[in-house]
Every structure is written in C-alpha cells, then in structure tokens.
Amino acid sequence: MLIAGFPAGAWGTNCYLVAPAAGEECVIIDPGHQATEGVEEALKKHRLKPVAVVLTHGHIDHVASVVPVCGAHDVPAWIHPEDRYMMSDPEKALGRSIGMPLMGELTVGEPDDVKELTDGAALSLAGLDFSVSHAPGHTKGSVTFKMPESVDVPSVFFSGDLLFAGSIGRTDLPGGDMDEMLESLARVCLPLDDSTVVLSGHGPQTTIGRERASNPYLREVAAGLGSGRPAPRRGM
C-alpha cells in the first residue's frame, strides 16, 4: 500500500493520498488550504489517478482545495451531512471571519458531485476498503476512516482532528463539544488495536498503543474519567 502525505497551508493540515501501489488509482483525504499543488505533485510522482476525495470534517483548513481538486480530476467528494454546509459557508463554521486576505485565496463552495458519509459505512474506493465512524466533538460531522490490517501492513486509522499525537482536537468552535469528543474517543479509538497506525489531521504519525499509554485525554477516557480541561487550540 502507498500512503503519501504532506502538511499544507497556513494551518499545516495533513493531506493524504492513498493507493494500493504506485501507478494505481488513489483516494485523496482532506485537501485543505493550499493543498492543490502538493496533490498534483504527489499524483505525478507516484503516477496516481484519483477516484474520490474523502473528508474527515468540514473546516476550511481541511476542505479549501476540494473544489479545484475535484474539478481537475472529475471526482466526487465525500463528507458527513452535518458538516456539508461548511464547504459553502466556512466562516459560519468558525463563528468569526478568517480574514479577507486569506479568503481571497480560497475557492468556496461545493464540487459538482458531493456524496454523504454515514456512521458505519463501508467504502470501497480505488481497490481499498475504508470503514467510516461518525466521531463528533471537534465538529458535529467529524468522521474517521479505518483501513483493515493486511498480511504485511498494520491497520491504518485516519483520525482527522479527533486524535493527535499527544493531544486531541479543539472543541471551542461552533459545533464543538467536549462531552461528545470524550465519547467519540472512547467509542472510536479505545477499541482499536495498539498496533494501529494513526495518521491525523495535524502533526506527526503515532499509534493507538502510544496514545493509550501517553495521551492524557485517551488515558482519562480509558480510566473512565472526564476531562475538565479545554482541548488544546490545535488546527482550526
């Protein structure tokens, strides 16, 4: 399996291209702010043909390049219905203006083909299987994507802004909720095997085992405790 990832834009949002191998079809995950050039470079380098864009949530730092990427390759975008409005109205999702100079760089709106994700859905795209889990807390429509373990590759978990290396996503923006975040961590993350590789929306790669042992939020959830602390202000 091939996973090519890179941080993009003002928020350093991780965009991933996933394919069975070089020269095959691929899925693009979270093409955010200023990700278009990086996507095209990775497609060319690995000789990939995109078949879909899938989105962990609707914040502008994760979806800003959806329209140009989908338009250039005539592919659909998948997003949870509760976050779909954010593609056309990003400032409503933030509760504030993100700034006119930055807005001038964005292509706001939906691509021509939008498909909606549901909890428990099984997506088969580009010869790959993704299981979808609805994981609200950062936004109402946040989701994660899990790929199954294979003979020589551990399970891979695209956590979006639910779980980071050493931290979790912020919950202080519209639609954020700490109680929902903790419930999602318990329901979605804790059952995963320790060997599961976590590729998050921001920051470095980690594993569930490492986070279970060291992430203060995941440790408190595993112990059955609620965290009274606000989530770190990471990402958007």
Side-chain angles (χ1 to χ4, degrees):
M1 182 169 64
L2 169 68
I3 300 178
F6 61 92
W11 298 280
T13 304
N14 291 325
C15 176
Y16 301 100
L17 290 80
V18 190
E24 302 282 350
E25 294 182 334
C26 74
V27 174
I28 302 170
I29 300 176
D30 288 356
H33 182 232
Q34 297 179 341
T36 305
E37 182 176 348
V39 167
E40 295 304 322
E41 289 177 354
L43 292 174
K44 182 178 180 180
K45 177 180 179 181
H46 300 289
R47 298 173 285 109
L48 301 174
K49 175 180 172 53
V51 298
V53 167
V54 297
L55 304 167
T56 61
H57 63 288
H59 280 159
I60 195 67
D61 61 324
H62 289 252
V63 308
S65 297
V66 169
V67 170
V69 168
C70 287
H73 300 282
D74 192 25
V75 298
W78 293 76
I79 191 168
H80 192 276
E82 290 198 67
D83 275 14
R84 181 169 177 172
Y85 76 93
M86 297 184 190
M87 290 193 286
S88 299
D89 194 354
E91 292 186 355
K92 183 178 180 181
L94 303 179
R96 57 180 172 80
S97 171
I98 60 177
M100 290 308 296
L102 183 57
M103 282 295 292
E105 301 174 10
L106 305 180
T107 304
V108 176
E110 293 189 356
D112 291 337
D113 187 2
V114 178
K115 300 181 184 299
E116 295 188 344
L117 297 165
T118 57
D119 185 43
L123 298 182
S124 293
L125 300 166
L128 302 167
D129 294 323
F130 300 85
S131 58
V132 180
S133 293
H134 185 210
H138 181 60
T139 67
K140 293 298 184 185
S142 288
V143 301
T144 64
F145 303 103
K146 179 178 176 292
M147 302 181 68
E149 180 180 6
S150 62
V151 174
D152 56 350
V153 179
S155 177
V156 178
F157 179 62
F158 296 94
S159 63
D161 285 7
L162 172 65
L163 180 68
F164 301 136
S167 191
I168 59 175
R170 59 190 294 180
T171 60
D172 60 328
L173 295 173
D177 186 290
M178 178 56 85
D179 289 339
E180 288 187 333
M181 175 69 82
L182 296 176
E183 191 278 332
S184 291
L185 290 168
R187 175 176 49 83
V188 178
C189 297
L190 286 184
L192 299 176
D193 291 339
D194 283 352
S195 62
T196 302
V197 175
V198 180
L199 298 178
S200 63
H202 301 270
Q205 173 180 313
T206 185
T207 66
I208 287 294
R210 185 178 301 142
E211 297 312 300
R212 200 189 309 274
S214 62
N215 186 308
Y217 295 91
L218 207 57
R219 290 181 65 183
E220 289 180 7
V221 169
L225 304 174
S227 173
R229 296 169 294 165
R233 294 173 63 87
R234 192 174 190 180
M236 182 158 263

